[in-house]
Amino acid sequence: MSKTTTEMALDLDAKRLSVVEPGTRVDVQGDLSDEARVEKAMTNFVKDFGRVTATYMEACIHCGACAHACPFYEASGNPRHTPIWKLEPFKQAYKREAGPLAFFYKAFNLKKNVTLDELKEWQELLYDTCTMCGRCTLICPMSIDIATLVGMARHGMFHAGLVPHELYTVTEKAQREGSPLGATPQVFEDRVEWMGDEHEVDMHMNEDQADVLVLMSSIEIQKYPESMAATAKILNQMGKSWTFRTDGYEATNFGMLSGNTGWQKEMSMKVIGTAEKIGAKLVILPECGHAYQALRWQGANMYGKSLPFKIQHISEFLADAVDSGSIKLKPVNKSVAFHDPCQVSRRGGATQAPRKVLEALGVELIESKSGGSMNTCCGGGGGVITIHRADTLRYKVMGAKFRQLDETGAEMMVTSCSNCRQNFDDSSEKLNWDKQMNSLLELVADNLVEEAEK
Amino acid sequence: MTLLDFARGPAMQVAIFIFVLGIVWRLVGVWALRQKKDLSEARQKGAWIGGIKGLFAHAWPYKPFVPKVGAQYIVGYVIHLGLFIVLFFGTPHMLFFADIVNFTWWTLPGGVITFVALITTVALFIALAKRLVDPVQRLISNFDDYATWFVTTLPFLTGLATTANLWPHYETGLAIHLLSVWLLLIYFPFGKLMHSFWFVVSRYTTGSRFARRGGMA
Amino acid sequence: MKEHALTLGEELRRQGVSRRSFLKYCSVVAASMAIPATMVPAMAASLAQARRQSVIWMSYQECTACIESLTRAFAPTVENLIFNFISLDFQHALQAAAGDQAVEALHKAMEENWGKYLVLVDGSIPLKDDGIYSTSHGQTHLESLREVAEGAAAIVSIGTCAAYGGVGAARPNPTGAVGVDEIITDKPILNVPGCPPIPEVMTGVLTSFLAFGELPAVDALKRPSAFFSDTIHDRCYRRPFYDQGKFAKTFDDEGARKGWCLYELGCKGPITHNACATMKFNQGVSWPIQSGHGCLGCSEPNFWDKDSFYKPLSAGQWGSAEGIAVAAAAGVALGAASAVMSRKNQDKISGGK
């Protein structure tokens, strides 16, 4: 029984302190001094100040058009979410340290040194509100590749110990355990075996030699394990020499997403080394967006020389397969709207591949108003989905996405990225979306004309 | 030496000297930075074609963006086209260039140039108003943006005043017009007016990088 | 010595000029000087009472065109009569006397009219080497000017040479030639520039002096505003062609023959103040632009040195073309230097590549 008193009267008319808008928490890792953090940020910023970066940083004319292509700005209306503004400390550092007029900017202090407060304030802008989707580049009159530069700016942020907490945690876990979501090699092996049994599919695991090395993302391993069965089914149908490997399977690269190039390289080298070891001619990336970016476009640069094998996103592989007639598909008589994963279509260059597959599936593809390479990002990639304080904005972005897809009037929604799919699933629960996002890979596997049936 | 003599002679020479020096400096200063080679396998050969296409790709916004930024682009074009027309098709200006390149070309009547200059000036003021009012532009704008606006608008205002003979003393007004142009030239290499050169490099770079990937920019 | 001097009114009557003609002349002069019509009777009355004004005309480092222009006349005109009325006590080009006799006449005129005589000057005055480059009768023109100016009521500098130095002062100005007002600073000075000036401007100025006893209103360059406040461009009959963008491109092309604007052929009309476009020369017969040649800007200081007469006004005055090459080379050097600095700085901050 509580102790109570009637001595102290309640003054209901007195002014109360309330929180109108909660401040953003700034996450800090490690116990570096303030100066050391700034120093580390600068050390890693300057490594990226090359000719291309410099061109982009010089080219901006402050027109602000980029804001109107960014799904985060469109959802929040907050000018701080203007894409080029996300790069402001990076840009200032460039102009002060490596630009052609750097000497004068420094001498007369016309461009200030980056401060820790600035970097802290920018944590939200570089991580929470940017998936590096690159839509801003489409609208920029100067064609500035802001997305790539955001990735570079993250290098400085990581080493300064300024990564959002959850993103840092999964990254560190991935570095330590091999997977951000606990899909360790053992777990991977177990679940592959389970899928093999469950779907009666021949799983090739840890073969010494194979033409094709298949990678999976932890999201699929843990949340959509049917993808593994689907991939196996198709490859077996095609009679390919392929394998999974427990020493090189993780397609996601949280080193890249968080900004640690050292870890990014290690994570990439795991799969590259394995592919080399088994003499693979082709590495298939699963339904994942940033995985494609990490290996297909940044892998060789991590490696230091051209890769000795081809790399394809699973949708590209399937497109080739239907093109060459290696697989035949049963018709799916539905109307479909396709959500393009930004890193595969606009940033990756494989926009047509999924469409070829959908065509082979005989669906009626209805393009959304700003679709294909101009697709609006789902807002979950690049690590954003791991950051819980970004949820509110992410749901707003997804709200716009749902409206966009609903507008097509299509019966079925399809995508080819598990992170997008995860985002759709999570958001549709919160926003009561009446449809479901489907995987292109699983759709193909489900409608594969199998050997026995021919 | 009158102010006009100064403006036509030494001031012009100094301004053009700084103009050329500054532009070359800034371009070389960036071009000579390091650049790591991209070792990834290109999706298709001939990325340079993508680079050339990239020069024009963003000349007008892609369809989904037109409602959002179309007006901004139109104001921008009015300013740039107006400047182009006034600068190259106004007879006194054409003769300035003709003196350098040794050939003349057809020009527009004075009244048309005045009209174009007026429209351009109005567009410049609209652009400034937008920059002061739009929350995105307000946040990202700095001294350079406003200084650039000033040095660009001043020649239009002084030129219009000179053509309309609004100055108390014509020669002084003409001198002020010339000096306002030299101010623009001197400021040019050190601010965002350099975008006149950067847009080529930047658009080409992105166009070719993404053609390499097959993606879109 | 003079007998009883006639007033201007008496003199004109003696010559058979009617009062009506005289009044008409006064109206014309008043109108050309923008003097209100209501002032014409007062002006006429004053002029009629005017006594012979002693005028001493000194010619220095000049080409004599100013005298030619002002004294050239087709037929006797009222202006000529006015000229006859002033007592031109010294003019070494026109007078019959020469040598010591002439100089004696000069000194006598100065003595007798001390403080009241008007000095007209044409030609520039060299200053270099104590002014030895222009002398008369063993005396430098510098000394002469100082001497003559001492007792003057006012000085009128006729022609661009006397006003601003003119052709004598053109680059490199080997004689150190200057205009009158750079030497005489304590007397009222009026400039009537032009190479040569318009005769009617001169008579207008004189008439004004005779009528009102003082020099007319002037602009910043001491030129009578009545004649020099507008530019040639503002009054040029070819202005509509300028506005329409119709220019002659060579001296005998179709445009030239059609009388189109001469801006592209170097006309300096826009920056030249004079009355040529309205008053013209040779009593209104023609003027340079009407004859098909662009205005040289001859009533403006230093017009000889403002680049070619045939280069358009808007063309730049280039020093040398090499300057641009130097600028570009310097830009490359600075750019390379800044890139090297940037690279070093990047290495320093990142602790190696």
Side-chain angles (χ1 to χ4, degrees), chain C residues 57 66-73 80 83 94 199:
Chain C
W57 188 324
C66 290
I67 297 167
E68 294 290 329
S69 168
L70 294 173
T71 59
R72 195 67 44 216
N80 279 337
F83 255 113
L94 296 173

Side-chain angles (χ1 to χ4, degrees), chain A residues 258-299:
Chain A
S258 62
N260 187 329
T261 36
W263 290 357
Q264 177 183 355
K265 185 173 176 180
E266 282 178 43
M267 292 173 187
S268 291
M269 285 312 293
K270 263 196 200 155
V271 299
I272 293 172
T274 301
E276 273 188 320
K277 200 174 4 168
I278 66 170
K281 297 200 186 66
L282 170 69
V283 173
I284 292 183
L285 288 164
E287 290 194 312
C288 179
H290 277 92
Y292 191 62
Q293 199 57 236
L295 192 64
R296 178 65 179 91
W297 297 116
Q298 293 192 31

Side-chain angles (χ1 to χ4, degrees), chain C residues 59-64 122-127 133-134 141 161-162 165 167-169 173 175-178:
Chain C
S59 292
Y60 294 139
Q61 189 171 245
E62 40 77 43
C63 71
T64 313
D122 69 321
S124 60
I125 302 99
L127 295 178
Y133 297 105
S134 188
H141 287 152
C161 290
V167 65
N173 196 353
T175 64
V178 294

Side-chain angles (χ1 to χ4, degrees), chain B residues 1-2 4-5 8-10 12-13 16-18 20-22 24-26 28-29 32-34 91-96 99-100 104-105 107-111 163 165 169-171 174, chain C residues 234 239 242-245 247 249 263-264 270-273 300 306-307 311-319 323-324 326-328 330-332 334-336 338-339 342-343 346-347 353:
Chain B
M1 183 182 268
T2 63
L4 182 58
D5 291 332
R8 288 179 72 201
M12 179 195 75
Q13 289 157 24
I16 292 183
F17 186 87
I18 295 175
V20 173
L21 181 144
V24 174
W25 172 7
R26 206 137 174 216
V28 171
L33 290 174
R34 290 192 197 104
T91 308
H93 303 147
M94 179 278 280
L95 291 168
F96 176 85
D99 186 44
I100 303 169
T104 62
W105 56 88
T107 52
L108 287 164
T163 313
N165 208 359
H169 187 227
Y170 181 81
E171 287 93 308
L174 180 59
Chain C
D234 285 338
R239 182 66 181 273
Y242 173 87
D243 291 332
Q244 288 169 44
F247 300 94
K249 298 202 182 278
Y263 188 93
E264 285 195 34
I271 56 163
T272 306
H273 295 260
E300 298 294 326
K306 294 197 198 222
D307 222 347
K311 245 174 136 184
L313 182 60
S314 60
Q317 291 176 335
W318 302 95
I324 307 292
V326 169
V332 171
L334 279 167
S338 75
S342 295
R343 288 183 182 212
Q346 280 176 277
D347 287 343
K353 273 177 157 204

